[in-house]
Amino acid sequence: LPAELRKPPFTPKATGRIAFFFGPFAGALVSVISLRRMGHPEQASKALSVALFGSLGLAMVLFFIPDPFARFVGLGAEYAFYHIFKDLQKNEFEEWQAANASIQPTNGWLAIGWGFLGLLLSLGVFLVVFVALGFFGLQPR
């Protein structure tokens, strides 16, 4: 959108941190905003795909593994999401920064609202997966 092009993007580290603390959809939302602000809508749709499939896969894995292991898997997944969303926009951000050396990126603290929205979306995906698997008679471990 033309209105988004006027605002500077979030840094890749800010996107990664939001993904780590709030989940994959939060990282995707911040990444989508940043990529659109930099003029890369095709990469933005890729970020949403990564978030959707990452959330579905993580929800299914967490459903089937025992609780003590789920904590380690969840922490490992959050670490992976940090790097995935940080690296997803790294090259585009470096290009944008080289072309706009005098403009500072948007403060990462402003992305926290998107983080909470992404957290709700991630929890919604987990709920749908857990209910769907329970509907088919599968039990969590």
Side-chain angles (χ1 to χ4, degrees), residues 52-103:
L52 178 62
F53 291 119
S55 290
L56 290 172
L58 180 61
M60 292 178 79
V61 167
L62 290 177
F63 185 83
F64 288 113
I65 63 173
D67 190 39
F69 300 117
R71 296 164 197 226
F72 294 112
V73 170
L75 186 60
E78 294 302 321
Y79 180 76
F81 288 133
Y82 169 80
H83 286 288
I84 289 169
F85 286 108
K86 183 181 79 155
D87 294 341
L88 188 66
Q89 70 180 37
K90 187 176 183 178
N91 294 335
E92 289 81 1
F93 183 77
E94 289 172 356
E95 291 172 10
W96 177 86
Q97 201 168 29
N100 302 289
S102 63
I103 300 174

Side-chain angles (χ1 to χ4, degrees), residues 1 9-10 38 40 59 72-73 77 81 90 99 118 123 128 136-138:
L1 297 173
F10 297 103
M38 291 183 281
H40 297 281
F72 294 112
V73 170
F81 288 133
K90 187 176 183 178
L123 291 175
V128 167
F136 290 112
L138 299 171

Side-chain angles (χ1 to χ4, degrees), residues 127-138:
L127 179 68
V128 167
V129 168
F130 286 8
V131 168
L133 291 174
F135 180 73
F136 290 112
L138 299 171

Side-chain angles (χ1 to χ4, degrees), residues 96-115:
W96 177 86
Q97 201 168 29
N100 302 289
S102 63
I103 300 174
Q104 291 292 323
T106 302
N107 188 343
W109 288 102
L110 298 176
I112 289 181
W114 293 107

